[in-house]
Amino acid sequence: MKELAQQLKEKNLKVTPQRLAIFQMLSNTVEHPSAETIYKALETTHPTMSLATVYKTLDALKKASLIQELNVGEDCFRYDARTHSHPHLICVSCCKVVDMDSIYLNDIRERVEKNSDFDILDEKIYFYGVCPNCKESKEH
Amino acid sequence: MKELAQQLKEKNLKVTPQRLAIFQMLSNTVEHPSAETIYKALETTHPTMSLATVYKTLDALKKASLIQELNVGEDCFRYDARTHSHPHLICVSCCKVVDMDSIYLNDIRERVEKNSDFDILDEKIYFYGVCPNCKESKEH
DNA sequence: ATAAATGCAAAACCTTTGCACGCCT
DNA sequence: AGGCGTGCAAAGGTTTTGCATTTAT
């Protein structure tokens, strides 16, 4: 994987400790955190960083296509450093958001383009259900 | 189509002029309006109706599965009286939201269930692109 | 040097909530 | 009488904005 700082530079974004910390945190998690969650996770290592900076950074990264924003139907956005379009599975019981490998739906964009008059640029696919963990706990 | 009032009654929702107006407005449009848009659209016929009532009604209809809530990535929700799960096409240029016939993606839930350990209950599928109208105006 | 990023506070925005009043049975 | 729905105002929560200061290049 390319150095995160390098990726920022290529998009003409100045490399600041705050941006690196946020980008790195997002790159190393599978949790799809919200702005608030990111802010709290970095509180100990970056105690002076403000929530506004988190929002501004997420906006910059999003516009640079270095991260993507998720809308799973909550009151806030979540963020994902995997920018390649892929479906997400959301557990309605524990609210966990899990990545799904996009290969299983590889052909659907093509199908949509064929059956609509839109030029498709992007897609967001969310499946809601019960995750394996929660299924198990319900059985007990 | 079943009478709207009848549908409300079946869900143990009292039939009020406000609820009927909102439900009817949603049933007769393909525009996927937001709460604010609904409120403004009904302003002339129901001048005393408050925005809070719109929100409360939408919540009641949603919980009764008479409408569904859409998250197309804007700052507010949109609503759709077609409750059968179907993909939506969003024009990134004019922000129009269009229904797509779900038959074109009939098999995907099945595929997701087969390739994940989730029990799938619902899905939200959004495609972002340029609609025919906007494609045309860009060419000029 | 200078253009951009940060941090703070305030504002904006959508949505929810509390409560009194009204309506209908 | 009783329970629910409405409308108003206020509150809540997330996100954005303005501005002075600091920082990166």
Side-chain angles (χ1 to χ4, degrees):
Chain A
M1 137 108 58
K2 211 180 295 179
E3 283 280 339
L4 299 180
Q6 183 58 27
Q7 293 187 56
L8 290 173
K9 275 181 201 158
E10 283 172 8
K11 300 286 185 172
N12 290 320
L13 294 174
K14 284 193 180 170
V15 180
T16 66
Q18 294 88 337
R19 283 182 175 170
L20 267 182
I22 292 167
F23 194 16
Q24 187 168 60
M25 189 267 190
L26 267 175
S27 300
N28 292 336
T29 183
V30 295
E31 300 285 329
H32 310 83
S34 66
E36 185 73 29
T37 308
I38 296 169
Y39 175 65
K40 285 192 177 141
L42 298 176
E43 214 165 30
T44 48
T45 53
H46 296 73
T48 66
M49 183 166 62
S50 73
L51 188 53
T53 296
V54 175
Y55 277 107
K56 285 170 184 168
T57 297
L58 290 171
D59 191 55
L61 294 175
K62 182 177 62 177
K63 282 182 177 146
S65 299
L66 294 174
I67 63 172
Q68 67 168 313
E69 194 175 63
L70 305 182
N71 249 298
V72 305
E74 295 167 326
D75 46 356
C76 62
F77 292 100
R78 286 168 174 257
Y79 297 89
D80 188 338
R82 263 140 301 203
T83 52
H84 183 267
S85 187
H86 60 277
H88 289 91
L89 297 162
I90 298 109
C91 178
V92 297
S93 172
C94 68
C95 295
K96 184 168 59 180
V97 179
V98 176
D99 295 301
M100 181 170 189
D101 203 324
S102 66
I103 58 167
Y104 301 118
L105 299 177
N106 254 345
D107 55 321
I108 62 165
R109 184 191 293 210
E110 199 179 311
R111 277 203 255 167
V112 170
E113 278 200 308
K114 220 168 264 173
N115 292 292
S116 79
D117 294 324
F118 275 59
D119 287 346
I120 306 295
L121 301 168
D122 195 16
E123 69 215 34
K124 300 252 186 249
I125 303 183
Y126 304 110
F127 285 92
Y128 297 82
V130 184
C131 76
N133 272 353
C134 291
K135 266 194 280 187
E136 206 178 317
S137 22
K138 277 183 184 169
E139 280 162 11
H140 296 315
Chain B
M1 136 109 56
K2 212 180 295 178
E3 283 281 339
L4 299 180
Q6 184 57 27
Q7 293 186 55
L8 291 173
K9 274 182 204 156
E10 284 172 7
K11 300 286 184 171
N12 290 320
L13 294 174
K14 282 196 179 166
V15 180
T16 67
Q18 293 89 336
R19 285 181 173 171
L20 266 183
I22 293 167
F23 193 18
Q24 186 167 60
M25 189 266 190
L26 267 176
S27 300
N28 292 336
T29 183
V30 294
E31 300 286 329
H32 309 83
S34 66
E36 185 74 30
T37 307
I38 295 168
Y39 174 65
K40 285 192 177 141
L42 299 176
E43 212 165 32
T44 47
T45 53
H46 296 74
T48 65
M49 183 167 61
S50 72
L51 189 51
T53 296
V54 175
Y55 278 108
K56 285 170 184 168
T57 298
L58 289 172
D59 190 55
L61 293 175
K62 184 176 60 178
K63 282 183 176 143
S65 298
L66 294 174
I67 63 172
Q68 67 168 312
E69 193 176 61
L70 306 182
N71 248 296
V72 304
E74 295 166 327
D75 45 356
C76 62
F77 292 100
R78 285 167 174 259
Y79 297 88
D80 189 338
R82 262 142 301 205
T83 52
H84 183 265
S85 187
H86 60 278
H88 289 90
L89 297 161
I90 298 110
C91 179
V92 296
S93 172
C94 68
C95 296
K96 184 169 56 180
V97 178
V98 177
D99 295 303
M100 181 169 189
D101 202 323
S102 66
I103 58 166
Y104 302 118
L105 299 176
N106 254 345
D107 54 324
I108 64 166
R109 184 190 292 210
E110 200 179 310
R111 277 153 76 183
V112 170
E113 278 200 309
K114 221 169 263 172
N115 292 292
S116 79
D117 295 323
F118 275 59
D119 286 345
I120 306 297
L121 301 168
D122 195 15
E123 70 217 33
K124 299 252 186 251
I125 302 183
Y126 304 111
F127 285 92
Y128 297 84
V130 184
C131 75
N133 272 353
C134 290
K135 266 194 278 187
E136 205 179 316
S137 21
K138 276 183 182 168
E139 280 161 12
H140 296 317

